[in-house]
Every structure is written in structure tokens, then in C-alpha cells.
Amino acid sequence: MALRFASKNGRAHLVVGDDSRLVDLAEVSDGKFSPDPIDTFRRWNEVRDFAATVTTGGAPCAQADLDAPSPWPLQVFGIGLNYRSHAEESGMAIPTEPLTFTKFSSSIAGPDADIPIPTPTCDWEAELVVVIADGGRDIPRERAWDAVAGIAVGQDISDRALQFVTQPPQFNLGKSRRNFSPFGPWLVDARDVANRDAMRLSCTLNGEEVQSTVTDDLIFSVGDIVSYLSGIVQLLPGDVIFTGTPAGVGGSRKPPVFLKPGDVLETTLGGIGTTVNRCVAG
Ligand code: ZN
């Protein structure tokens, strides 16, 4: 079975068995591994080998109690307009290089975190999320997946008014409000995902499907993004990349639809998992 990795109460855990039980990594390894999730990503290949020996035990996993798999990344990247369908609905040109912004790390939240809605212009963006293993610089495209620890699903929640309040616009703050970067529920080891470049990604709002795609429709693939970013910045263990959203966001609808308290977003990446986020008063 594929290695699955989760964080809870700030500690690294393995997720084992069909019933997804949680095993504390530092405890089960007698201290060979640190409880710090970031250390896990730095030693991902060793963790993978060790995890293959842990097949039973652990406590039942309540998904709502989990942190984001990488709960305090040093760098969080978002890629804008990375599906043709979304670039078109936004009325913007298709980028010739990955349109990159940051989501500040204080916006990271657990897979089932509530999302405070402080303004009337907050929008959803279902995304494939990857977490970097030991990282590095100048990673070639053909080795890019080796630099990735695992795959998760998440939401790049975006305050559209804040995102475009200045000219030229900058996206960083509008995508970094409290709990605007929920992801999880766990990481699945990228090496174990056979269709990692063509996964079904979808999202429902109050039970109605609003986004659906296959990730082979990405303009810049995970390999392209990792290679591109690492040619400019050093990728660090535990760094998080939100790879872009397909068509179907609320702000592009006529009339626009934005998130309001009481709304529930369910976001699914086939074979990985589902996150469930309730919107609450901000
Ligand atoms: Zn996005």
C-alpha cells in the first residue's frame, strides 16, 4: 500500500491500513525519526523505507483533527491561470511562464478547517497540491517528481477584491487570509501514484459540482513547475506548491457567486482524498 503521511498536533504520523489508522512516526521508530514534519520531508527516502515496515497499529484517524500535512512550510507557492479553461473564463492570456505568487504560510490550515469569510468577494479554487521532499536548486524536469514527497488536495481560497485592489495587481495578500490554504487530508507518496500526471480533481459547493478536471490539462505540469521554480529559488523540505485551479470558480460566473458563512466546500483528488471546509463568519 502507498505510503501516506499526515500531521497531527504538530507531530509526524504515518497513516496505515484500509481504515486509515494514525501511527506516531517518532514513537514507532524509537526516535530514529524526529516528530517534526519538516524533518520527515528532509529524510523522505529513509521514511519511505521505514514506513514499508509499519503496516498495523495506531489510533483511529479523525480527519477533522489533522493538521495540514506540511503545517509550517518555509515557502508556499501558488500557480495562477494554469488550466486553459480557467485562463479563458478569467478573460486573461494563457501564461508563457508559470504565473507564480506566494500564499503566506500563516494561511495554511488543516484538511477540514473552517474558513472565516471576512468579505463578500471570497472564492474557491480546487487544486492539486504537492509537498517538496529534500528540495534543492536547478532540478531538471525529468527528475522533478523525485523531488516531491507527496500529493494532497486543497483549496487556494482567494479574496478577489483584495487580489485585484492595486494596479498592477498582486495576488499574495488576497490568497493569504486566515485558513485560506487548507490542504490534506494526508500526503500520498508521489512515487506510489501511477496516474500522478492525470488525476481527477473536482469540487462541490453545498453538494453541487462546481469544478471538475483531469490534471493532465495543466498548462505547466508538476515537473515543469518544480523545474522552473528551482531554477530561481532553492526549494526547501516541506515547501508547498498549489498547482492551479481549473474552470468553475465563483468570480467568473454570471452573475458571480462568492462564498458565504454556512457554505460547505468538498474537494476531491481521485485516489488521494477529500477535504471538507465549512465557511464561517469572518
Ligand atoms: Zn489557485
Side-chain angles (χ1 to χ4, degrees):
M1 186 177 226
L3 160 60
R4 287 181 293 165
F5 175 85
S7 295
K8 183 181 176 187
N9 299 330
R11 294 177 65 91
H13 286 78
L14 304 175
V15 186
V16 303
D18 292 336
D19 53 350
S20 299
R21 299 175 79 84
L22 280 179
V23 177
D24 186 289
L25 179 61
E27 288 177 5
V28 75
S29 68
D30 290 327
K32 175 173 161 53
F33 294 104
S34 154
D36 184 341
I38 295 286
D39 284 330
T40 307
F41 301 123
R42 189 177 290 117
R43 300 172 64 190
W44 190 251
N45 287 331
E46 286 177 78
V47 171
R48 174 189 290 129
D49 292 344
F50 177 77
T53 69
V54 182
T55 53
T56 58
C61 168
Q63 187 175 310
D65 295 338
L66 297 179
D67 307 329
S70 181
W72 44 79
L74 285 168
Q75 303 181 105
V76 185
F77 304 92
I79 308 298
L81 304 180
N82 200 19
Y83 288 87
R84 215 164 296 273
S85 58
H86 178 55
E88 285 168 359
E89 73 173 357
S90 303
M92 296 197 219
I94 292 176
T96 54
E97 293 193 44
L99 192 171
T100 306
F101 55 88
T102 188
K103 290 169 75 66
F104 291 106
S105 65
S106 59
S107 67
I108 293 283
D112 288 4
D114 288 347
I115 302 172
I117 303 297
T119 74
T121 54
C122 296
D123 203 348
W124 60 87
E125 292 193 358
E127 307 209 1
L128 162 72
V129 179
V130 296
V131 173
I132 296 297
D134 55 351
R137 290 187 185 271
D138 298 322
I139 299 165
R141 185 184 289 101
E142 58 272 20
R143 291 217 306 272
W145 271 115
D146 294 340
V148 172
I151 299 168
V153 64
Q155 279 282 342
D156 171 19
I157 303 293
S158 305
D159 181 338
R160 300 296 180 203
L162 183 55
Q163 190 179 345
F164 293 101
V165 72
T166 60
Q167 286 301 326
Q170 63 79 24
F171 292 2
N172 306 341
L173 290 174
K175 286 166 175 286
S176 295
R177 289 189 184 274
R178 183 173 184 174
N179 289 5
F180 269 28
S181 307
F183 75 100
W186 36 63
L187 291 181
V188 178
D189 188 353
R191 194 176 289 191
D192 295 331
V193 180
N195 63 336
R196 61 194 182 184
D197 284 306
M199 311 177 76
R200 169 66 58 181
L201 171 67
S202 62
C203 168
T204 64
L205 174 64
N206 303 325
E208 184 178 329
E209 185 173 271
V210 289
Q211 293 187 285
S212 179
T213 194
V214 178
T215 62
D216 62 358
D217 204 32
L218 280 166
I219 296 170
F220 298 102
S221 67
V222 171
D224 293 334
I225 296 166
V226 167
S227 177
Y228 174 79
L229 292 176
S230 71
I232 300 168
V233 299
Q234 181 174 356
L235 293 179
L236 303 169
D239 280 359
V240 176
I241 304 174
F242 285 76
T243 58
T245 202
V249 302
S252 295
R253 289 166 187 261
K254 294 182 179 41
V257 178
F258 292 113
L259 294 168
K260 58 186 188 309
D263 283 347
V264 177
L265 279 172
E266 286 196 27
T267 314
T268 299
L269 190 60
I272 304 294
T274 298
T275 58
V276 183
N277 303 109
R278 177 175 294 277
C279 299
V280 298

